[in-house]
Amino acid sequence: TVVASNNPHGTVQLASTSLRQVNEAIGNITFTVQRSGGSIGAIRVGYTVGGGSATIGADYLSLAASSVVLNNTEISARFQVTIVNDNVPELTEDFFVQLTSVQLIAGGLNTTVLPGGFPVDIAPTLGAGVRAEV
């Protein structure tokens, strides 16, 4: 017996949506994208790093927008933001990491609509972002 799923490709979000506070000397801060509720098919998850009072290039290094791929059955992927240790006394600064998109890239999203208006598959969905302080 195969059980139907309303979300076979899952919902993705950052593993921790709590404020992350780090010292500049840490070097890198790792963020984990987690998929729950389904893991069928490969998906690409877009994210942005920016905003807040921290300055890209001076306080942290990251592409303004990028993505990670979770292959079929994978439930997590990681990416890093490099924290710049400038040895300059300063107040706490922050930036935001936001998941911006999720796209099924393999695994055959079936968009057929059954009688009664129910879709066979529903595209993967997005969860929350997080703020980091350096």
Side-chain angles (χ1 to χ4, degrees):
T1 302
V2 176
V3 178
S5 171
N6 289 339
N7 195 3
H9 312 296
T11 297
V12 292
Q13 66 181 28
L14 292 168
S16 172
T17 56
S18 300
L19 172 66
R20 306 271 306 265
Q21 294 180 313
V22 298
N23 186 295
E24 284 186 347
I26 193 169
N28 293 308
I29 183 170
T30 300
F31 295 92
T32 302
V33 175
Q34 222 166 19
R35 175 161 55 170
S36 62
S39 61
I40 296 173
I43 58 173
R44 176 174 287 113
V45 181
Y47 64 89
T48 59
V49 178
S53 58
T55 304
I56 191 165
D59 298 311
Y60 66 95
L61 305 174
S62 176
L63 297 174
S66 194
S67 64
V68 294
V69 171
L70 284 80
N71 291 310
N72 186 43
T73 73
E74 285 186 331
I75 59 170
S76 67
R78 293 187 173 125
F79 64 92
Q80 292 187 327
V81 174
T82 299
I83 305 302
V84 176
N85 187 1
D86 57 16
N87 293 314
V88 175
E90 54 196 352
L91 297 174
T92 300
E93 299 168 308
D94 64 354
F95 61 85
F96 298 87
V97 175
Q98 185 68 44
L99 301 182
T100 57
S101 63
V102 61
Q103 174 188 15
L104 185 66
I105 56 176
L109 180 63
N110 184 343
T111 58
T112 303
V113 176
L114 300 173
F118 297 104
V120 173
D121 277 350
I122 297 174
T125 56
L126 282 177
V130 68
R131 185 177 116 209
E133 289 185 345
V134 292

mmCIF file of all heavy atoms in Angstrom, residues 64-105:
data_model
loop_
_atom_site.group_PDB
_atom_site.id
_atom_site.type_symbol
_atom_site.label_atom_id
_atom_site.label_comp_id
_atom_site.label_asym_id
_atom_site.label_seq_id
_atom_site.Cartn_x
_atom_site.Cartn_y
_atom_site.Cartn_z
ATOM 1 N N ALA A 64 25.411 37.717 -2.050
ATOM 2 C CA ALA A 64 24.152 38.331 -1.636
ATOM 3 C C ALA A 64 22.999 37.339 -1.784
ATOM 4 O O ALA A 64 22.090 37.308 -0.980
ATOM 5 C CB ALA A 64 23.883 39.582 -2.453
ATOM 6 N N ALA A 65 23.060 36.521 -2.833
ATOM 7 C CA ALA A 65 22.036 35.497 -3.049
ATOM 8 C C ALA A 65 22.711 34.258 -3.601
ATOM 9 O O ALA A 65 23.604 34.351 -4.435
ATOM 10 C CB ALA A 65 20.967 35.988 -4.018
ATOM 11 N N SER A 66 22.286 33.114 -3.112
ATOM 12 C CA SER A 66 22.858 31.857 -3.567
ATOM 13 C C SER A 66 21.840 30.755 -3.334
ATOM 14 O O SER A 66 20.682 31.031 -3.005
ATOM 15 C CB SER A 66 24.160 31.567 -2.823
ATOM 16 O OG SER A 66 24.871 30.535 -3.477
ATOM 17 N N SER A 67 22.283 29.501 -3.486
ATOM 18 C CA SER A 67 21.367 28.379 -3.275
ATOM 19 C C SER A 67 22.131 27.136 -2.856
ATOM 20 O O SER A 67 23.340 27.043 -3.035
ATOM 21 C CB SER A 67 20.562 28.093 -4.544
ATOM 22 O OG SER A 67 21.414 27.687 -5.595
ATOM 23 N N VAL A 68 21.395 26.199 -2.258
ATOM 24 C CA VAL A 68 21.909 24.877 -1.931
ATOM 25 C C VAL A 68 20.966 23.864 -2.558
ATOM 26 O O VAL A 68 19.790 24.162 -2.789
ATOM 27 C CB VAL A 68 22.017 24.629 -0.405
ATOM 28 C CG1 VAL A 68 23.057 25.540 0.217
ATOM 29 C CG2 VAL A 68 20.690 24.788 0.280
ATOM 30 N N VAL A 69 21.482 22.677 -2.821
ATOM 31 C CA VAL A 69 20.681 21.599 -3.413
ATOM 32 C C VAL A 69 20.563 20.463 -2.413
ATOM 33 O O VAL A 69 21.556 20.071 -1.790
ATOM 34 C CB VAL A 69 21.305 21.097 -4.732
ATOM 35 C CG1 VAL A 69 20.603 19.847 -5.232
ATOM 36 C CG2 VAL A 69 21.276 22.193 -5.785
ATOM 37 N N LEU A 70 19.356 19.966 -2.250
ATOM 38 C CA LEU A 70 19.108 18.748 -1.487
ATOM 39 C C LEU A 70 18.686 17.707 -2.512
ATOM 40 O O LEU A 70 17.684 17.888 -3.211
ATOM 41 C CB LEU A 70 18.002 18.946 -0.451
ATOM 42 C CG LEU A 70 18.387 19.730 0.803
ATOM 43 C CD1 LEU A 70 18.371 21.215 0.547
ATOM 44 C CD2 LEU A 70 17.466 19.370 1.927
ATOM 45 N N ASN A 71 19.461 16.650 -2.624
ATOM 46 C CA ASN A 71 19.153 15.591 -3.573
ATOM 47 C C ASN A 71 17.998 14.730 -3.074
ATOM 48 O O ASN A 71 17.584 14.842 -1.915
ATOM 49 C CB ASN A 71 20.405 14.740 -3.840
ATOM 50 C CG ASN A 71 21.438 15.519 -4.606
ATOM 51 O OD1 ASN A 71 21.141 16.119 -5.629
ATOM 52 N ND2 ASN A 71 22.655 15.554 -4.103
ATOM 53 N N ASN A 72 17.502 13.873 -3.936
ATOM 54 C CA ASN A 72 16.404 12.973 -3.580
ATOM 55 C C ASN A 72 16.714 12.272 -2.255
ATOM 56 O O ASN A 72 17.801 11.741 -2.079
ATOM 57 C CB ASN A 72 16.205 11.948 -4.702
ATOM 58 C CG ASN A 72 15.003 11.071 -4.473
ATOM 59 O OD1 ASN A 72 13.943 11.547 -4.075
ATOM 60 N ND2 ASN A 72 15.159 9.785 -4.712
ATOM 61 N N THR A 73 15.811 12.297 -1.340
ATOM 62 C CA THR A 73 15.837 11.720 0.013
ATOM 63 C C THR A 73 16.733 12.473 1.003
ATOM 64 O O THR A 73 16.703 12.158 2.188
ATOM 65 C CB THR A 73 16.194 10.216 0.056
ATOM 66 O OG1 THR A 73 17.579 10.031 -0.215
ATOM 67 C CG2 THR A 73 15.328 9.407 -0.898
ATOM 68 N N GLU A 74 17.515 13.451 0.578
ATOM 69 C CA GLU A 74 18.322 14.230 1.526
ATOM 70 C C GLU A 74 17.418 15.155 2.328
ATOM 71 O O GLU A 74 16.510 15.779 1.776
ATOM 72 C CB GLU A 74 19.380 15.066 0.812
ATOM 73 C CG GLU A 74 20.545 14.269 0.318
ATOM 74 C CD GLU A 74 21.645 15.125 -0.267
ATOM 75 O OE1 GLU A 74 21.364 16.214 -0.799
ATOM 76 O OE2 GLU A 74 22.792 14.684 -0.200
ATOM 77 N N ILE A 75 17.709 15.268 3.611
ATOM 78 C CA ILE A 75 16.871 16.100 4.472
ATOM 79 C C ILE A 75 17.600 17.333 5.005
ATOM 80 O O ILE A 75 16.991 18.144 5.698
ATOM 81 C CB ILE A 75 16.278 15.283 5.641
ATOM 82 C CG1 ILE A 75 17.379 14.660 6.488
ATOM 83 C CG2 ILE A 75 15.309 14.232 5.125
ATOM 84 C CD1 ILE A 75 16.906 14.048 7.786
ATOM 85 N N SER A 76 18.884 17.493 4.680
ATOM 86 C CA SER A 76 19.572 18.703 5.111
ATOM 87 C C SER A 76 20.747 19.030 4.198
ATOM 88 O O SER A 76 21.301 18.154 3.544
ATOM 89 C CB SER A 76 20.058 18.581 6.558
ATOM 90 O OG SER A 76 21.079 17.613 6.668
ATOM 91 N N ALA A 77 21.080 20.315 4.176
ATOM 92 C CA ALA A 77 22.249 20.813 3.453
ATOM 93 C C ALA A 77 22.754 22.018 4.227
ATOM 94 O O ALA A 77 21.987 22.688 4.928
ATOM 95 C CB ALA A 77 21.886 21.205 2.027
ATOM 96 N N ARG A 78 24.046 22.295 4.114
ATOM 97 C CA ARG A 78 24.654 23.382 4.881
ATOM 98 C C ARG A 78 25.306 24.402 3.955
ATOM 99 O O ARG A 78 25.754 24.065 2.870
ATOM 100 C CB ARG A 78 25.708 22.827 5.830
ATOM 101 C CG ARG A 78 25.116 21.973 6.903
ATOM 102 C CD ARG A 78 26.170 21.572 7.921
ATOM 103 N NE ARG A 78 25.517 20.896 9.018
ATOM 104 C CZ ARG A 78 25.847 19.700 9.438
ATOM 105 N NH1 ARG A 78 26.848 19.055 8.885
ATOM 106 N NH2 ARG A 78 25.184 19.149 10.438
ATOM 107 N N PHE A 79 25.377 25.633 4.450
ATOM 108 C CA PHE A 79 26.164 26.667 3.791
ATOM 109 C C PHE A 79 26.791 27.540 4.872
ATOM 110 O O PHE A 79 26.333 27.546 6.021
ATOM 111 C CB PHE A 79 25.338 27.496 2.800
ATOM 112 C CG PHE A 79 24.218 28.295 3.418
ATOM 113 C CD1 PHE A 79 24.420 29.605 3.817
ATOM 114 C CD2 PHE A 79 22.958 27.739 3.584
ATOM 115 C CE1 PHE A 79 23.396 30.347 4.380
ATOM 116 C CE2 PHE A 79 21.919 28.476 4.137
ATOM 117 C CZ PHE A 79 22.139 29.779 4.535
ATOM 118 N N GLN A 80 27.863 28.230 4.510
ATOM 119 C CA GLN A 80 28.598 29.033 5.490
ATOM 120 C C GLN A 80 28.645 30.499 5.078
ATOM 121 O O GLN A 80 28.658 30.826 3.888
ATOM 122 C CB GLN A 80 30.029 28.528 5.642
ATOM 123 C CG GLN A 80 30.113 27.171 6.296
ATOM 124 C CD GLN A 80 31.543 26.779 6.589
ATOM 125 O OE1 GLN A 80 32.455 27.131 5.861
ATOM 126 N NE2 GLN A 80 31.744 26.034 7.666
ATOM 127 N N VAL A 81 28.700 31.340 6.088
ATOM 128 C CA VAL A 81 28.960 32.763 5.915
ATOM 129 C C VAL A 81 30.251 33.031 6.691
ATOM 130 O O VAL A 81 30.372 32.651 7.856
ATOM 131 C CB VAL A 81 27.802 33.620 6.466
ATOM 132 C CG1 VAL A 81 28.157 35.100 6.400
ATOM 133 C CG2 VAL A 81 26.514 33.333 5.702
ATOM 134 N N THR A 82 31.223 33.652 6.039
ATOM 135 C CA THR A 82 32.498 33.965 6.678
ATOM 136 C C THR A 82 32.364 35.265 7.462
ATOM 137 O O THR A 82 31.914 36.281 6.933
ATOM 138 C CB THR A 82 33.616 34.107 5.627
ATOM 139 O OG1 THR A 82 33.730 32.862 4.939
ATOM 140 C CG2 THR A 82 34.953 34.449 6.259
ATOM 141 N N ILE A 83 32.762 35.219 8.732
ATOM 142 C CA ILE A 83 32.741 36.391 9.595
ATOM 143 C C ILE A 83 34.133 37.022 9.551
ATOM 144 O O ILE A 83 35.138 36.342 9.748
ATOM 145 C CB ILE A 83 32.374 36.002 11.047
ATOM 146 C CG1 ILE A 83 31.044 35.237 11.088
ATOM 147 C CG2 ILE A 83 32.340 37.240 11.927
ATOM 148 C CD1 ILE A 83 29.858 35.967 10.511
ATOM 149 N N VAL A 84 34.190 38.320 9.263
ATOM 150 C CA VAL A 84 35.466 39.034 9.161
ATOM 151 C C VAL A 84 35.869 39.529 10.542
ATOM 152 O O VAL A 84 35.109 40.227 11.207
ATOM 153 C CB VAL A 84 35.350 40.229 8.187
ATOM 154 C CG1 VAL A 84 36.652 41.021 8.151
ATOM 155 C CG2 VAL A 84 34.968 39.739 6.797
ATOM 156 N N ASN A 85 37.064 39.129 10.984
ATOM 157 C CA ASN A 85 37.605 39.588 12.262
ATOM 158 C C ASN A 85 38.478 40.802 11.976
ATOM 159 O O ASN A 85 39.643 40.685 11.623
ATOM 160 C CB ASN A 85 38.410 38.481 12.932
ATOM 161 C CG ASN A 85 38.836 38.855 14.337
ATOM 162 O OD1 ASN A 85 38.527 39.934 14.826
ATOM 163 N ND2 ASN A 85 39.548 37.956 14.988
ATOM 164 N N ASP A 86 37.899 41.985 12.124
ATOM 165 C CA ASP A 86 38.624 43.207 11.779
ATOM 166 C C ASP A 86 39.394 43.817 12.951
ATOM 167 O O ASP A 86 40.085 44.818 12.789
ATOM 168 C CB ASP A 86 37.674 44.245 11.183
ATOM 169 C CG ASP A 86 36.518 44.595 12.105
ATOM 170 O OD1 ASP A 86 36.576 44.284 13.302
ATOM 171 O OD2 ASP A 86 35.540 45.183 11.602
ATOM 172 N N ASN A 87 39.291 43.214 14.140
ATOM 173 C CA ASN A 87 40.006 43.691 15.331
ATOM 174 C C ASN A 87 39.730 45.156 15.647
ATOM 175 O O ASN A 87 40.569 45.836 16.232
ATOM 176 C CB ASN A 87 41.524 43.454 15.188
ATOM 177 C CG ASN A 87 41.856 41.977 15.179
ATOM 178 O OD1 ASN A 87 41.357 41.228 16.001
ATOM 179 N ND2 ASN A 87 42.669 41.571 14.222
ATOM 180 N N VAL A 88 38.579 45.648 15.238
ATOM 181 C CA VAL A 88 38.177 47.022 15.537
ATOM 182 C C VAL A 88 37.055 46.971 16.572
ATOM 183 O O VAL A 88 36.042 46.303 16.338
ATOM 184 C CB VAL A 88 37.682 47.733 14.254
ATOM 185 C CG1 VAL A 88 37.142 49.123 14.575
ATOM 186 C CG2 VAL A 88 38.785 47.800 13.223
ATOM 187 N N PRO A 89 37.228 47.646 17.726
ATOM 188 C CA PRO A 89 36.149 47.658 18.707
ATOM 189 C C PRO A 89 34.900 48.307 18.103
ATOM 190 O O PRO A 89 34.967 49.368 17.481
ATOM 191 C CB PRO A 89 36.702 48.523 19.850
ATOM 192 C CG PRO A 89 38.176 48.542 19.646
ATOM 193 C CD PRO A 89 38.402 48.394 18.174
ATOM 194 N N GLU A 90 33.768 47.641 18.244
ATOM 195 C CA GLU A 90 32.523 48.160 17.677
ATOM 196 C C GLU A 90 31.344 47.554 18.416
ATOM 197 O O GLU A 90 31.480 46.560 19.120
ATOM 198 C CB GLU A 90 32.430 47.850 16.175
ATOM 199 C CG GLU A 90 32.614 46.388 15.852
ATOM 200 C CD GLU A 90 32.918 46.132 14.377
ATOM 201 O OE1 GLU A 90 32.842 47.064 13.572
ATOM 202 O OE2 GLU A 90 33.237 44.999 14.053
ATOM 203 N N LEU A 91 30.192 48.150 18.243
ATOM 204 C CA LEU A 91 28.972 47.627 18.830
ATOM 205 C C LEU A 91 28.552 46.359 18.081
ATOM 206 O O LEU A 91 29.042 46.074 16.989
ATOM 207 C CB LEU A 91 27.861 48.674 18.759
ATOM 208 C CG LEU A 91 28.112 49.964 19.544
ATOM 209 C CD1 LEU A 91 27.002 50.968 19.272
ATOM 210 C CD2 LEU A 91 28.223 49.674 21.034
ATOM 211 N N THR A 92 27.626 45.622 18.661
ATOM 212 C CA THR A 92 27.093 44.426 18.023
ATOM 213 C C THR A 92 26.412 44.803 16.709
ATOM 214 O O THR A 92 25.688 45.802 16.641
ATOM 215 C CB THR A 92 26.082 43.728 18.948
ATOM 216 O OG1 THR A 92 26.760 43.367 20.156
ATOM 217 C CG2 THR A 92 25.484 42.494 18.296
ATOM 218 N N GLU A 93 26.672 44.030 15.676
ATOM 219 C CA GLU A 93 26.056 44.244 14.366
ATOM 220 C C GLU A 93 25.327 42.971 13.965
ATOM 221 O O GLU A 93 25.635 41.894 14.456
ATOM 222 C CB GLU A 93 27.136 44.584 13.333
ATOM 223 C CG GLU A 93 27.880 45.855 13.693
ATOM 224 C CD GLU A 93 29.117 46.055 12.850
ATOM 225 O OE1 GLU A 93 29.937 45.114 12.780
ATOM 226 O OE2 GLU A 93 29.266 47.128 12.287
ATOM 227 N N ASP A 94 24.385 43.101 13.048
ATOM 228 C CA ASP A 94 23.633 41.916 12.651
ATOM 229 C C ASP A 94 23.386 41.870 11.153
ATOM 230 O O ASP A 94 23.550 42.865 10.445
ATOM 231 C CB ASP A 94 22.303 41.828 13.414
ATOM 232 C CG ASP A 94 21.359 42.981 13.095
ATOM 233 O OD1 ASP A 94 21.740 43.927 12.379
ATOM 234 O OD2 ASP A 94 20.217 42.932 13.573
ATOM 235 N N PHE A 95 23.063 40.663 10.685
ATOM 236 C CA PHE A 95 22.613 40.461 9.310
ATOM 237 C C PHE A 95 21.551 39.374 9.336
ATOM 238 O O PHE A 95 21.378 38.679 10.331
ATOM 239 C CB PHE A 95 23.769 40.104 8.362
ATOM 240 C CG PHE A 95 24.494 38.833 8.697
ATOM 241 C CD1 PHE A 95 24.029 37.600 8.248
ATOM 242 C CD2 PHE A 95 25.666 38.856 9.442
ATOM 243 C CE1 PHE A 95 24.701 36.424 8.547
ATOM 244 C CE2 PHE A 95 26.346 37.692 9.736
ATOM 245 C CZ PHE A 95 25.865 36.475 9.285
ATOM 246 N N PHE A 96 20.840 39.252 8.254
ATOM 247 C CA PHE A 96 19.743 38.300 8.169
ATOM 248 C C PHE A 96 20.012 37.258 7.097
ATOM 249 O O PHE A 96 20.590 37.563 6.056
ATOM 250 C CB PHE A 96 18.425 39.025 7.844
ATOM 251 C CG PHE A 96 18.016 40.001 8.907
ATOM 252 C CD1 PHE A 96 18.474 41.307 8.887
ATOM 253 C CD2 PHE A 96 17.190 39.598 9.943
ATOM 254 C CE1 PHE A 96 18.108 42.210 9.876
ATOM 255 C CE2 PHE A 96 16.817 40.498 10.933
ATOM 256 C CZ PHE A 96 17.281 41.799 10.900
ATOM 257 N N VAL A 97 19.587 36.032 7.369
ATOM 258 C CA VAL A 97 19.616 34.953 6.383
ATOM 259 C C VAL A 97 18.163 34.586 6.127
ATOM 260 O O VAL A 97 17.424 34.271 7.061
ATOM 261 C CB VAL A 97 20.398 33.727 6.895
ATOM 262 C CG1 VAL A 97 20.319 32.577 5.906
ATOM 263 C CG2 VAL A 97 21.851 34.097 7.173
ATOM 264 N N GLN A 98 17.761 34.654 4.878
ATOM 265 C CA GLN A 98 16.370 34.400 4.529
ATOM 266 C C GLN A 98 16.291 33.392 3.395
ATOM 267 O O GLN A 98 16.991 33.535 2.390
ATOM 268 C CB GLN A 98 15.698 35.707 4.085
ATOM 269 C CG GLN A 98 14.232 35.586 3.804
ATOM 270 C CD GLN A 98 13.422 35.322 5.062
ATOM 271 O OE1 GLN A 98 13.633 35.931 6.093
ATOM 272 N NE2 GLN A 98 12.504 34.389 4.980
ATOM 273 N N LEU A 99 15.488 32.364 3.568
ATOM 274 C CA LEU A 99 15.215 31.450 2.463
ATOM 275 C C LEU A 99 14.247 32.166 1.535
ATOM 276 O O LEU A 99 13.235 32.719 1.979
ATOM 277 C CB LEU A 99 14.617 30.143 2.972
ATOM 278 C CG LEU A 99 15.479 29.365 3.960
ATOM 279 C CD1 LEU A 99 14.800 28.058 4.346
ATOM 280 C CD2 LEU A 99 16.868 29.111 3.417
ATOM 281 N N THR A 100 14.567 32.178 0.242
ATOM 282 C CA THR A 100 13.790 32.985 -0.694
ATOM 283 C C THR A 100 13.004 32.180 -1.713
ATOM 284 O O THR A 100 12.032 32.678 -2.270
ATOM 285 C CB THR A 100 14.711 33.947 -1.459
ATOM 286 O OG1 THR A 100 15.729 33.180 -2.125
ATOM 287 C CG2 THR A 100 15.350 34.950 -0.515
ATOM 288 N N SER A 101 13.448 30.958 -1.989
ATOM 289 C CA SER A 101 12.759 30.168 -3.007
ATOM 290 C C SER A 101 13.066 28.691 -2.811
ATOM 291 O O SER A 101 14.068 28.333 -2.211
ATOM 292 C CB SER A 101 13.197 30.591 -4.417
ATOM 293 O OG SER A 101 14.580 30.325 -4.594
ATOM 294 N N VAL A 102 12.190 27.866 -3.318
ATOM 295 C CA VAL A 102 12.437 26.429 -3.362
ATOM 296 C C VAL A 102 11.867 25.928 -4.678
ATOM 297 O O VAL A 102 10.770 26.313 -5.086
ATOM 298 C CB VAL A 102 11.855 25.683 -2.138
ATOM 299 C CG1 VAL A 102 10.357 25.850 -2.043
ATOM 300 C CG2 VAL A 102 12.234 24.213 -2.166
ATOM 301 N N GLN A 103 12.653 25.110 -5.356
ATOM 302 C CA GLN A 103 12.271 24.647 -6.686
ATOM 303 C C GLN A 103 12.573 23.158 -6.809
ATOM 304 O O GLN A 103 13.669 22.718 -6.456
ATOM 305 C CB GLN A 103 13.073 25.432 -7.725
ATOM 306 C CG GLN A 103 12.905 24.966 -9.135
ATOM 307 C CD GLN A 103 13.880 25.668 -10.073
ATOM 308 O OE1 GLN A 103 14.849 26.278 -9.652
ATOM 309 N NE2 GLN A 103 13.623 25.553 -11.352
ATOM 310 N N LEU A 104 11.622 22.412 -7.290
ATOM 311 C CA LEU A 104 11.844 21.003 -7.573
ATOM 312 C C LEU A 104 12.667 20.910 -8.848
ATOM 313 O O LEU A 104 12.277 21.441 -9.882
ATOM 314 C CB LEU A 104 10.507 20.279 -7.742
ATOM 315 C CG LEU A 104 10.577 18.774 -7.932
ATOM 316 C CD1 LEU A 104 11.115 18.106 -6.678
ATOM 317 C CD2 LEU A 104 9.200 18.225 -8.275
ATOM 318 N N ILE A 105 13.852 20.290 -8.778
ATOM 319 C CA ILE A 105 14.713 20.213 -9.961
ATOM 320 C C ILE A 105 14.801 18.810 -10.527
ATOM 321 O O ILE A 105 15.311 18.613 -11.608
ATOM 322 C CB ILE A 105 16.128 20.765 -9.683
ATOM 323 C CG1 ILE A 105 16.792 20.057 -8.507
ATOM 324 C CG2 ILE A 105 16.060 22.256 -9.447
ATOM 325 C CD1 ILE A 105 18.219 20.488 -8.253
#
